[in-house]
Amino acid sequence: SKDYSNYAGLGKLFSSIDYDFLYPDRVVFGDSDSCIERIHQIEALGATHISFVVNFGGIAHSSVMKSLELFGKNVIGHFSK
């Protein structure tokens, strides 16, 4: 709809950004071991909850779903109580 017309170019914008400036201080990403390590670091700072944005634009839906699947399979179990 016309209400979302301003979002049309976001995929191209997000895919052109170099996200290295966010890592390692601001985000959790990488392979399962890297994510586990980073979450432990965040826990050590006193965090008890973490919020994730997995589909932030420019990523194929299938890739987002695969990331969620791998995160659920390989990472979450290390933090379940």
Side-chain angles (χ1 to χ4, degrees), residues 12-54:
K12 184 176 180 181
L13 171 66
F14 286 133
S15 66
S16 69
I17 295 174
D18 177 8
Y19 291 96
D20 287 342
F21 76 96
L22 293 173
Y23 187 80
D25 298 326
R26 294 180 180 91
V27 297
V28 175
F29 70 86
D31 62 20
S32 297
D33 290 336
S34 297
C35 290
I36 292 166
E37 180 182 346
R38 179 66 180 129
I39 293 170
H40 280 304
Q41 292 169 350
I42 293 168
E43 281 184 323
L45 295 173
T48 57
H49 294 80
I50 299 174
S51 177
F52 288 96
V53 176
V54 181

Side-chain angles (χ1 to χ4, degrees), residues 28 30-37 39-40 65-80:
V28 175
D31 62 20
S32 297
D33 290 336
S34 297
C35 290
I36 292 166
E37 180 182 346
I39 293 170
H40 280 304
M65 297 307 293
K66 185 66 175 179
S67 291
L68 287 170
E69 177 186 340
L70 291 170
F71 192 84
K73 180 179 176 184
N74 301 325
V75 178
I76 289 178
H78 290 270
F79 301 96
S80 298

